[in-house]
Amino acid sequence: MVDQNKLSLYLEQLRDELIAETLWLEEELDENKYNSTAPFCCDTMAFHEWLQFVFLPKMQYMIDNNLELPSSLAIAPMGEVEYRAELKERENLIKILNKIDSLFV
């Protein structure tokens, strides 16, 4: 079972890291970007947009409403693929994604 307190902490760290790495957007995305059936909305959003506008709100909603969390999660590999050309600069972000993933093993 996922430790919701740790997950909440890691989600907060993820938000803070997106802000620190200037990947956090102040403006809401165009509604059309949400019309995706691809994993991580990769055909309509950048990975950091998906983290901010889909992943973080969905996970927070699940925690706040005491809903069953996924049994497994693997977002760090997508981050590694997305940021393969800048892994050094995104090292902290990838570490946080790995910490989140580790809760779902």
Side-chain angles (χ1 to χ4, degrees):
M1 182 159 193
V2 174
D3 182 333
Q4 290 189 358
N5 291 327
K6 277 187 181 179
L7 179 58
S8 291
L9 174 67
Y10 295 161
L11 294 175
E12 187 175 320
Q13 289 175 359
L14 176 57
R15 180 185 185 278
D16 292 346
E17 189 60 31
L18 289 169
I19 292 169
E21 294 188 21
T22 64
L23 295 173
W24 189 263
L25 304 176
E26 295 301 323
E27 302 281 325
E28 182 67 34
L29 293 178
D30 182 281
E31 287 184 33
N32 292 331
K33 288 197 169 199
Y34 294 92
N35 296 331
S36 172
T37 56
F40 306 101
C41 298
C42 65
D43 57 340
T44 59
M45 296 181 191
F47 184 62
H48 66 275
E49 292 173 334
W50 178 82
L51 288 170
Q52 178 180 348
F53 294 105
V54 178
F55 178 72
L56 284 170
K58 183 175 183 178
M59 295 304 287
Q60 195 59 58
Y61 178 83
M62 293 175 85
I63 291 168
D64 293 345
N65 291 283
N66 213 19
L67 299 175
E68 186 174 340
L69 293 165
S71 59
S72 64
L73 196 64
I75 55 175
M78 182 63 180
E80 291 168 354
V81 168
E82 181 70 24
Y83 301 121
R84 64 187 165 273
E86 51 189 331
L87 281 177
K88 185 75 170 161
E89 295 87 349
R90 303 291 180 222
E91 182 178 10
N92 288 335
L93 180 61
I94 301 298
K95 283 182 183 178
I96 294 167
L97 296 177
N98 274 308
K99 289 192 321 187
I100 292 169
D101 285 351
S102 73
L103 295 175
F104 293 86
V105 176

